[in-house]
Structure formats: C-alpha cells, structure tokens
C-alpha cells in the first residue's frame, strides 16, 4: 500500500504549497467521474474524493502532518490507503486502519455499507475556482483560497449556481438569458411609468388652457375639478353682494321713484362679481396646474437614473 506522499507523487519533504497543488490536480481528475453514467463508478469516485479530503486535512495541518510523519517513520508504508486513480482500474484489497481515520472494512469495487458511511455535510464534488483551481464546497459563493466569485443565485429559482455553468442545475434555466429577460422587463416597466407621467402632464396643460369646463368629459373633467378645488369663488360673490348693498342703500335713499337705478346697480354688481370670480378661478387653476406639472416632472430624472442603473448591470461571468 502507498502512503500519502506516494499517492500524491511528492517527496515527504514537500512544502504545503506543493502538496496542495498535487491534491488539487488529483481532486479535479477524480471529481469528473462523480457524474459518470455508471452508478458504480460514480460511487467509487465519491469514495476517492473522501479519501483525498482526509489527506488534505492531515497533510495541510502542521500538527496533524507531524503526527502522521512520526507514525509513518518517513519511508515506511502506511497501510489502508488506496490510490484514487487505481479504483477505476481494478478492485482494491480491503482498506485497513489509516492514521487519524476510522477503519472502513470494504473494497472500492463494492458499495459501502450504510452503517460505515461517514455522511458529509455537503456534496463531495467541488466547485473549482477558475483562477487558482482550488476545490470549494458546493454552494460556495467565493473561493476560500483567493476570494474569487464562483457562485451566484440563479435569476429564476434563486438557488446558488456555479458561475462556470451556463444552465442552472436546480431548474435547468439558461441563467444569462433569464437574467437579460428580467432586466428588459424591468426597463420596460420604468418606461411605462415615464410615459404615464408625460401623459398626465399633457392632460393637465390641456385642461388648464380651457376657459370653461363645458366641453370636458371623463378624465379631463376629473382633472379640471381637482385643479379648481380651493378656488376663491366665495370671496368673489361676497364682494359682489357688499357692492350691491352699498349701491342699493345710496339709491333707495333718493325715494321709491329711483327703483330703476336700484336695478341698474344690481346689474353692475353682478357683472363685477362675475368678473372677479372668473379671474380668480382661472388664476387658481393656472397656479394649481403649474404646481402639479412641477411635481410630476421632478419624478422623471429619478426614473431615467433607474433605467441607466438597470442597463449597466450584467450577469457575472
């Protein structure tokens, strides 16, 4: 049986960096067989990956490596280790005790008894960093070695997916295509809001330009009523009434024969009152229209900025 160093084809004096490079190489070669169509080969590959992880935990830990080297005697064979590459060529003899690991009484060509399987917290087929080729846990968002982004939520199902894959393994969606479709839908929604605001502005200008509401119907009439709310029509009529009373008092003091002058004064008062009322109403509508238009126009730059931000985002490579 070969020891750890022989399996990795490195001398016992190798640095941790040299050992890690060799571990990564063998790990990447083995993990490709995890998805083999032959269930037996896939099972064997997972078992080999578990052994490699055990080797990594010992050889890359100074204390554990020292203990291993001491027990190994540097040059002696440590029983119970099987070359992960050899398991795909022929069944290996039963595995014996390994330093720091439990005994697994089985052959790599046979299924592992359920009672002896060490249940991993995560899958053993790793997500490999595209820059340093370090194997990371499945579902990791960043590489544990150099911090490079290796995972991103699927834009359709929100499950974490490896960036190296074009399709989500959870829902089968083309991640980039779905992302671009959602991005375009968001941009279209913002354009609809902008068009709606511009339409409101044009409607307010149209209604405010009319001298009366006689020709308005539907939504235009509703806008007109909103604009004229709070107008000073009451004040105008109050002025007219006061003026009428004043003129009437003057003319009635001249005697009953002067009733014609009273009626004339009433007419003058009504005209003045109507003029004051009409002028005040038109001025009020113009003021309210400008205020509403200003409020609506202030929303447009923010919506344009949102469109620019959405367009600038891209699905990570």
């Amino acid at each position: 049986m070969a020891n750890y160093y022989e399996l990795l084809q490195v001398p016992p004096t190798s640095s941790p960096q040299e050992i890690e490079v060799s571990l990564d190489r063998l790990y990447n070669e083995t993990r490709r067989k995890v998805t083999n169509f032959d269930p037996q080969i896939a099972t064997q590959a997972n078992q080999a990956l578990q052994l490699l992880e055990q080797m990594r935990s010992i050889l890359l830990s100074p204390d554990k490596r020292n203990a291993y080297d001491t027990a190994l005697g540097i040059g002696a064979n440590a029983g119970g280790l099987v070359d992960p590459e050899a398991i795909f060529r022929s069944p290996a003899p039963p595995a014996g005790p390994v330093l720091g690991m439990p005994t697994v009484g089985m052959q790599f060509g046979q299924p592992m008894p359920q009672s002896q399987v060490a249940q991993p917290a995560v899958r053993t087929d790793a997500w490999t960093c595209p820059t340093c080729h370090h194997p990371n846990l499945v579902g990791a968002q960043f590489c544990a070695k150099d911090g490079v982004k290796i995972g991103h939520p699927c834009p359709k199902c929100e499950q974490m997916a490896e960036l190296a894959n074009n399709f989500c393994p959870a829902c089968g969606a083309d991640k980039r295509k779905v992302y671009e479709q959602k991005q375009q839908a968001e941009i279209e929604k913002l354009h609809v809001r902008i068009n709606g605001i511009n339409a409101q502005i044009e409607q307010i200008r149209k209604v405010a330009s009319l001298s009366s509401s006689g020709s308005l119907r539907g939504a235009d009439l509703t806008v007109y009523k909103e604009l004229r709310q709070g107008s000073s029509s009451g004040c105008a009529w109050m002025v007219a009434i006061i003026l009428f009373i004043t003129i009437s008092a003057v003319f009635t003091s001249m005697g009953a024969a002067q009733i014609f002058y009273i009626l004339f004064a009433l007419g003058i008062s009504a005209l003045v009152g109507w003029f004051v009322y009409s002028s005040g109403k038109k001025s009020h509508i113009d003021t309210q229209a400008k205020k509403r238009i200003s409020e609506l126009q202030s929303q447009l730059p923010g919506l344009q900025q949102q469109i620019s931000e959405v367009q600038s985002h891209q699905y990570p490579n």
Side-chain angles (χ1 to χ4, degrees):
M1 298 295 175
N3 60 40
Y4 286 165
Y5 301 109
E6 292 170 345
L7 293 177
L8 296 176
Q9 300 178 355
V10 297
T13 57
S14 299
S15 66
Q17 291 77 15
E18 293 172 331
I19 292 175
E20 188 170 20
V21 168
S22 191
L23 278 168
D24 291 347
R25 174 188 59 80
L26 193 55
Y27 200 107
N28 290 333
E29 292 175 358
T30 306
R31 71 184 289 266
R32 297 189 187 100
K33 299 169 185 175
V34 171
T35 56
N36 193 285
F37 67 92
D38 187 336
Q40 185 176 6
I41 293 179
T43 299
Q44 293 169 351
N46 274 289
Q47 295 166 5
L49 290 174
Q50 291 180 41
L51 283 178
L52 288 171
E53 284 299 329
Q54 292 169 343
M55 293 165 61
R56 183 186 301 275
S57 67
I58 291 177
L59 294 184
L60 296 184
S61 170
D63 294 338
K64 292 182 180 180
R65 182 179 178 184
N66 288 336
Y68 176 76
D69 289 347
T70 300
L72 187 64
I74 300 301
N77 288 337
L81 296 182
V82 179
D83 186 348
E85 294 178 340
I87 64 175
F88 299 103
R89 297 193 292 270
S90 62
V98 178
L99 290 174
M101 297 184 295
T103 300
V104 181
M106 61 160 291
Q107 292 181 336
F108 279 100
Q110 300 174 350
M112 181 180 290
Q114 185 65 27
S115 61
Q116 298 183 8
V117 174
Q119 299 294 339
V122 294
R123 292 161 51 196
T124 56
D125 50 327
W127 286 2
T128 304
C129 176
T131 56
C132 70
H133 307 293
H134 176 74
N136 295 272
L137 297 178
V138 170
Q141 190 171 0
F142 299 94
C143 176
K145 186 175 181 181
D146 60 10
V148 171
K149 189 176 181 67
I150 59 175
H152 192 79
C154 170
K156 182 176 181 180
C157 68
E158 300 299 328
Q159 294 293 321
M160 190 64 68
E162 192 174 9
L163 282 177
N165 298 328
N166 294 327
F167 294 87
C168 174
C171 66
D174 185 327
K175 296 183 294 181
R176 184 173 299 280
K177 183 177 180 180
V178 172
Y179 180 85
E180 292 174 352
Q181 288 174 344
K182 295 181 71 173
Q183 184 182 48
Q184 185 60 35
E186 181 66 21
I187 292 174
E188 290 177 358
K189 286 171 58 178
L190 292 171
H191 277 302
V192 168
R193 291 180 59 185
I194 290 175
N195 292 337
I197 289 176
N198 286 329
Q200 290 183 58
I201 292 174
E202 290 303 317
Q203 185 181 42
I204 292 172
R205 286 173 175 166
K206 170 188 172 183
V207 170
S209 66
L210 300 177
S211 58
S212 67
S213 61
S215 61
L216 297 178
R217 298 291 183 274
D220 290 343
L221 183 58
T222 301
V223 172
Y224 179 84
K225 291 179 179 179
E226 291 175 353
L227 293 177
R228 62 171 289 188
Q229 284 182 355
S231 61
S232 57
S233 59
C235 294
W237 284 110
M238 183 64 67
V239 171
I241 291 173
I242 292 174
L243 184 61
F244 166 73
I245 294 174
T246 301
I247 296 176
S248 297
V250 171
F251 282 98
T252 51
S253 63
M254 298 176 65
Q258 306 299 330
I259 193 170
F260 170 77
Y261 294 103
I262 294 176
L263 294 176
F264 177 75
L266 177 62
I268 294 296
S269 299
L271 289 175
V272 171
W274 178 252
F275 175 77
V276 173
Y277 164 71
S278 299
S279 300
K281 181 180 71 172
K282 179 60 176 173
S283 176
H284 178 78
I285 289 177
D286 290 341
T287 301
Q288 289 299 107
K290 290 179 181 178
K291 181 180 178 181
R292 289 282 303 277
I293 289 174
S294 178
E295 292 173 352
L296 291 171
Q297 287 177 333
S298 67
Q299 301 177 30
L300 295 178
L303 294 174
Q304 292 289 357
Q305 179 64 26
Q306 290 183 47
I307 291 176
S308 299
E309 291 176 356
V310 173
Q311 290 174 334
S312 65
H313 294 163
Q314 294 183 351
Y315 192 78
N317 295 320

